[in-house]
Amino acid sequence: MTLPATTEDAIIAAVAAALAGRETLRVEGNGTKSGLMRPIKAARSLSTAGLSGITLYAPKELIISARAGTPMPEIEAALAEAGQYMIAEPPDLSALLGSNGKPQTLKPQTLGGVVATNLSGPRRIARGAIRDNVMGIRAINGRAELIRSGGRVLKNVTGLDLCKLFTGSYGTLGVLTEITLKVLPAPEATGTLVLPGLDAAAGIAALSAALGSPFDVSAAAWLPAGAVAATPALDGVSGPAALIRIEEFADSVTYRIGRLRDQFAVAGAVTLGTEASRSVWRAIRDVGPLAPRPGDAVWRVSVRPSAGAKILDALRPHGAAGFLDWGGGLVWLAGPADSATHLRVEAAARAAGGTWTLLRAPDALRAAVRVIPDEPPALARITREVKAAMDPAGIFNPGRLYPGV
């Protein structure tokens, strides 16, 4: 049974009723990310989809506030009208998560879901994550209390920073009801330098050099040959390729793309204009180049950029393949949805000193394996203490991250 909520008072009442009845709650917006992490077994679902609407937008202050159930297209449209954008470029994983043998949702993702999962796109490497841009929140904790943290202007953001604690908590600490975000002016133009014919190791070397240059690169990715061939905006490019994005005023983009092209002097290098660039990076943002087969599992591995190619090499013999974002530091993988392949992904990530997330898999696999690494004992103790402080009865999204948490 789903409990719809259109006001904070309704959420408080629902949480209080769950406490009184000793019931657990699955907290969600439109459910576009229900396949993430471990399966949740809860007595009832509490939906914030009806808690919608932009409550404050001050373009001159670079601040926007909206209720948790506000659809992301509504927020993006309001920002675009004022020539602004969300800094962390959050991905829309609806297509990816909806192709796991289940009907694809037609509902848009919500602001609450984006913040609760802290998923960030290609611009993350240069401009920070969603967590870095959350200025304030309102939420209902596990005691059915309204809590506030942060503010609606930068100078008011003082005190204990619960914003970062709730961002990426996957709804396990409370129900987000309103979020305030910092935004920025959108670039006038976007350009992409495509360096074809580079394998993953050579691609990472080029991306690292570009990111270390003075040209303010805002995204850097490497795509295998199959992904390049399947991307319409890259028509005419053959083989694997490294992609480097520049955003700013048109003249500045042209100048910096030219300087980078001269620096690398790769045969067959291609420069994409604004529209083609936006198309390519939107696809990368939404993990389109991965193109997993129906029934494949999907992993998201975070390592130091120099280790990205080694992850691909280690898992290729076992049927897992993918592409690289964040200069090589973010590895997207698709492969057989079985425990043996998952354990190999874990081992490869650990060997490289990185972390992993099992992003998509059948419920049975997600329930049987670790979807994220175990925390060190000291950190796990803090996690339990934070959970006990925010949700003492353990009613929110039980087992979403770890068994019993």
Side-chain angles (χ1 to χ4, degrees):
M1 177 180 178
T2 299
L3 305 171
T6 57
T7 65
E8 286 180 339
D9 286 343
I11 294 176
I12 290 172
V15 173
L19 283 171
R22 298 184 178 181
E23 294 180 327
T24 52
L25 293 173
R26 175 198 297 270
V27 181
E28 60 185 5
N30 277 331
T32 61
K33 297 178 177 61
S34 60
L36 286 173
M37 301 306 212
R38 293 169 51 83
I40 299 169
K41 293 183 179 180
R44 297 172 183 268
S45 294
L46 176 60
S47 172
T48 62
L51 190 68
S52 181
I54 295 171
T55 56
L56 170 73
Y57 182 28
K60 292 183 179 179
E61 299 293 335
L62 301 176
I63 286 291
I64 189 168
S65 298
R67 297 185 181 94
T70 308
M72 285 300 298
E74 180 179 331
I75 293 173
E76 291 166 348
L79 293 174
E81 187 175 349
Q84 297 182 343
Y85 69 170
M86 287 190 68
I87 301 169
E89 204 171 4
D92 183 350
L93 302 182
S94 299
L96 181 72
L97 298 176
S99 56
N100 189 28
K102 301 176 182 178
Q104 182 173 324
T105 177
L106 298 179
K107 297 180 180 179
Q109 62 178 345
T110 63
L111 177 61
V114 165
V115 173
T117 55
N118 191 38
L119 291 174
S120 305
R123 202 176 287 114
R124 162 71 175 88
I125 194 171
R127 305 288 187 264
I130 288 289
R131 177 179 282 120
D132 301 311
N133 300 300
V134 176
M135 308 302 294
I137 62 165
R138 292 168 64 94
I140 312 302
N141 67 13
R143 293 184 175 86
E145 301 167 334
L146 173 64
I147 60 176
R148 305 175 182 86
S149 181
R152 284 183 160 184
V153 294
L154 184 59
K155 64 182 179 182
N156 285 345
V157 181
T158 59
L160 183 62
D161 190 358
L162 296 181
C163 301
K164 288 183 172 58
L165 190 64
F166 271 74
T167 306
S169 65
Y170 283 82
T172 60
L173 300 180
V175 184
L176 288 166
T177 60
E178 184 180 82
I179 298 113
T180 298
L181 294 169
K182 178 174 64 176
V183 297
L184 283 178
E188 177 183 272
T190 302
T192 301
L193 178 62
V194 183
L195 304 176
L198 303 182
D199 62 19
I204 289 173
L207 298 177
S208 297
L211 287 164
S213 75
F215 301 122
D216 193 22
V217 170
S218 69
W222 176 86
L223 305 183
V228 170
T231 303
L234 296 177
D235 186 38
V237 178
S238 59
L243 287 77
I244 301 163
R245 183 175 68 183
I246 300 287
E247 299 176 296
E248 196 45 82
F249 299 110
D251 290 345
S252 177
V253 168
T254 300
Y255 170 76
R256 286 182 284 159
I257 287 284
R259 289 292 302 274
L260 283 171
R261 186 166 184 161
D262 292 342
Q263 175 181 327
F264 292 112
V266 172
V270 174
T271 299
L272 304 181
T274 295
E275 292 307 314
S277 291
R278 289 175 178 169
S279 174
V280 166
W281 290 102
R282 190 179 304 113
I284 293 172
R285 181 198 72 178
D286 297 342
V287 202
L290 192 62
R293 297 165 298 185
D296 269 356
V298 173
W299 295 266
R300 183 177 183 266
V301 179
S302 180
V303 293
R304 65 184 186 278
S306 60
K310 296 176 183 177
I311 297 290
L312 293 176
D313 290 343
L315 295 167
R316 188 176 298 110
H318 305 291
F323 73 96
L324 306 174
D325 199 355
W326 300 358
L330 182 63
V331 187
W332 289 100
L333 291 165
D338 55 51
S339 58
T341 305
H342 177 75
L343 291 175
R344 292 186 182 105
V345 173
E346 281 193 25
R350 279 198 306 269
T355 64
W356 75 88
T357 302
L358 178 57
L359 203 71
R360 189 188 94 179
D363 287 354
L365 181 61
R366 292 193 294 133
V369 301
R370 292 172 293 191
V371 297
I372 54 176
D374 291 335
E375 294 177 318
L379 187 56
R381 184 182 69 252
I382 294 173
T383 297
R384 290 192 298 270
E385 291 173 352
V386 169
K387 175 70 171 176
M390 291 291 173
D391 181 21
I395 65 172
F396 295 133
N397 286 354
R400 186 77 186 269
L401 302 177
Y402 305 98
V405 178

